[in-house]
Amino acid sequence: MRPSTLRALKRAAELTRQNRLTEAVLIAEPVILAADTYEGDEILRWLADHVTDFTGEIDNDPKENP
């Protein structure tokens, strides 16, 4: 994934945690829409792996954090 894409996703996560969803979408949407198939797959994996970045919750599932 391009560094600029990762920065945009991280910033969107930060804004979402601050309840600034509209701004988060404005930052993330263009990056996601511009991604090619390969990068789109990377974005989906990153989003799945970083759900708690958006919610601010801590994952306490011992099965996933040995």
Side-chain angles (χ1 to χ4, degrees):
M1 167 178 348
R2 292 176 290 158
S4 59
T5 300
L6 184 55
R7 278 193 307 274
L9 293 175
K10 287 181 177 181
R11 179 65 179 143
E14 180 182 329
L15 290 168
T16 301
R17 287 191 307 274
Q18 297 172 7
N19 293 321
R20 296 166 60 189
L21 185 59
T22 302
E23 292 170 82
V25 171
L26 288 173
I27 288 172
E29 184 180 33
V31 172
I32 292 168
L33 292 176
D36 61 17
T37 303
Y38 180 76
E39 187 175 40
D41 290 343
E42 288 182 318
I43 290 169
L44 287 174
R45 279 192 301 276
W46 189 90
L47 289 171
D49 291 343
H50 293 87
V51 169
T52 57
D53 291 356
F54 288 85
T55 63
E57 297 175 2
I58 298 171
D59 187 5
N60 290 325
D61 187 351
K63 290 180 271 179
E64 294 188 16
N65 296 321

